[in-house]
Amino acid sequence: MLTLINPHHAEHAGRQEMFRGRLVDCHEVPDRLHYVRDELQRRAIGPQRPPEVGDAVLDAALARVHEPRYLHFLANAWDDWVALDPANAQRDALPSVWPLPQAHAFRHDRVPLNAAARLGLFAFDSGTPLMAGTWRAARAGAACALAAAQAVLAGERSAFALTRPPGHHAGPGFYGGYCFLNNAAIAAQALRDGGHARVAVLDVDYHHGNGTQTIFYERADVLTLSLHGDPHTEYPFFLGHADETGAGAGEGFNRNWPLPRGTGTAAWRAALDEALQAVAGFGATALVVPLGLDTYEGDPISGFELRSGDYPAIGAALAALGLPTVFTFEGGYAVAEVGVNAANLLEGFERAA
């Protein structure tokens, strides 16, 4: 399995995030990627290289998924934050005010001149710090996802975009959940543009892939599926219910399996089997897997009970679909274990494939 590694990921290293009313050390840290990279190298699970994608090609791919004003915001957010107050150079940017989506209450069509207000316009939480290197890291991560899709289009059976910050919470015009650019959506769109008529996105992260769902919600050519913690009690709370099935042309092409905190392997695998059947029934010709390893029993901010020994069989089940597959690295915050869990799943996929 070819692995595309983000060479700039460590430039995004937040100091603190807001977590349940407290400023705490960030859970999403550079070591997450290092543990995965090192374990893949130790087991010799395929070659590793940085992405080779030109700026113009990457910009075009980003514009296929994200809104122009949002991309402009991300590209300039840090400079604008520091221009607001030179002392801001010593602190990460976090929003403190949001326009709620209530009729006649707040407008979303005007981009405010104040940089702090712009953070709130485009962010949906205060747990996703933005810093000097965020845009460069996020762009390089998107390049990994695009290069992984290009490799699959060129004949690779599978490819893994090993990058951070993650991406599946980022929507067409918003960020949050540690995510700025939606790597899985970028890969899925690239596969569509490269000739695959039907692409399935099967998200196995503990947290619902709300950004990916939003991007494709009104489309019938990309099937979006997500197994995740029940949003009645779990982040991101406001999306991911079972009755969200798509809209317009996309009606019936989105499915969610919200599962209760404490879900173990048997119940989780039963949901996965249903999702795999949905992929097959859709007639997908390619698959994208937002690969979250925060389903692990020891994850500090999640609540499922999968064990390290469960992941090889999950990889094998995904491989049994027989589809060209792109993996994008998403969650997994038991940092010391995330490498073993990722390698277990990818190794299981490789052996079955």
Side-chain angles (χ1 to χ4, degrees):
M1 180 179 297
L2 173 65
T3 296
L4 287 306
I5 298 184
N6 183 346
H8 300 297
H9 80 95
E11 296 177 35
H12 174 79
R15 297 175 177 89
Q16 291 182 308
E17 63 178 88
M18 183 68 72
F19 183 72
R20 296 174 184 170
R22 296 178 295 119
L23 280 173
V24 300
D25 292 341
C26 287
H27 291 96
E28 203 289 294
V29 296
D31 275 351
R32 297 176 61 245
L33 186 147
H34 300 154
Y35 274 98
V36 177
R37 177 200 62 197
D38 292 350
E39 187 65 17
L40 295 180
Q41 288 177 348
R42 189 184 72 80
R43 300 194 202 181
I45 303 178
Q48 301 180 359
R49 63 173 175 81
E52 297 176 358
V53 176
D55 284 342
V57 173
L58 179 58
D59 286 340
L62 297 183
R64 295 286 283 143
V65 170
H66 293 288
E67 296 170 359
R69 73 172 193 171
Y70 175 61
L71 294 172
H72 182 267
F73 158 76
L74 285 179
N76 295 280
W78 179 253
D79 289 343
D80 293 345
W81 173 246
V82 175
L84 185 68
D85 179 352
N88 281 349
Q90 304 306 314
R91 61 175 72 95
D92 294 343
L94 288 171
S96 57
V97 60
W98 291 268
L100 295 175
Q102 296 178 358
H104 313 302
F106 297 95
R107 294 184 63 171
H108 297 77
D109 60 317
R110 298 292 183 92
V111 178
L113 296 177
N114 183 279
R118 283 198 295 277
L119 289 171
L121 177 63
F122 292 108
F124 69 85
D125 68 22
S126 57
T128 305
L130 186 151
M131 62 222 62
T134 296
W135 177 235
R136 189 176 186 192
R139 271 183 64 87
C144 289
L146 180 57
Q150 291 173 338
V152 166
L153 287 167
E156 292 281 349
R157 172 67 170 83
S158 60
F160 178 32
L162 178 52
T163 183
R164 50 168 301 282
H168 74 148
H169 292 303
F174 58 81
Y175 73 94
Y178 312 142
C179 302
F180 298 90
L181 296 172
N182 195 308
N183 302 315
I186 290 163
Q189 186 62 54
L191 291 169
R192 280 288 295 113
D193 293 341
H196 283 280
R198 291 191 163 202
V199 176
V201 181
L202 175 50
D203 194 322
V204 296
D205 192 280
Y206 179 79
H207 303 96
H208 177 247
N210 62 295
T212 315
Q213 173 173 307
T214 302
I215 289 166
F216 295 116
Y217 202 63
E218 296 187 9
R219 289 173 52 173
D221 57 334
V222 178
L223 176 69
T224 47
L225 311 164
S226 181
L227 286 62
H228 51 266
D230 189 335
H232 281 106
T233 60
E234 308 304 313
Y235 184 94
F237 303 113
F238 304 111
L239 213 62
H241 297 278
D243 63 353
E244 297 159 12
T245 57
E251 177 61 47
F253 294 95
N254 184 84
R255 289 191 63 185
N256 290 317
W257 284 264
L259 302 170
R261 177 171 282 266
T263 292
T265 303
W268 192 91
R269 282 299 307 271
L272 177 65
D273 289 344
E274 290 184 15
L276 295 173
Q277 291 171 15
V279 173
F282 174 64
T285 58
L287 177 68
V288 177
V289 180
L291 181 56
L293 287 310
D294 44 4
T295 49
Y296 174 63
E297 62 181 350
D299 195 273
I301 60 172
S302 304
F304 289 166
E305 297 183 356
L306 275 63
R307 299 178 178 179
S308 294
D310 294 326
Y311 291 104
I314 295 169
L318 293 167
L321 288 169
L323 298 175
T325 302
V326 172
F327 294 90
T328 61
F329 186 46
E330 304 292 347
Y333 307 102
V335 176
E337 293 84 6
V338 71
V340 169
N341 294 337
N344 282 356
L345 188 147
L346 297 177
E347 194 170 57
F349 182 96
E350 284 284 274
R351 288 177 176 173

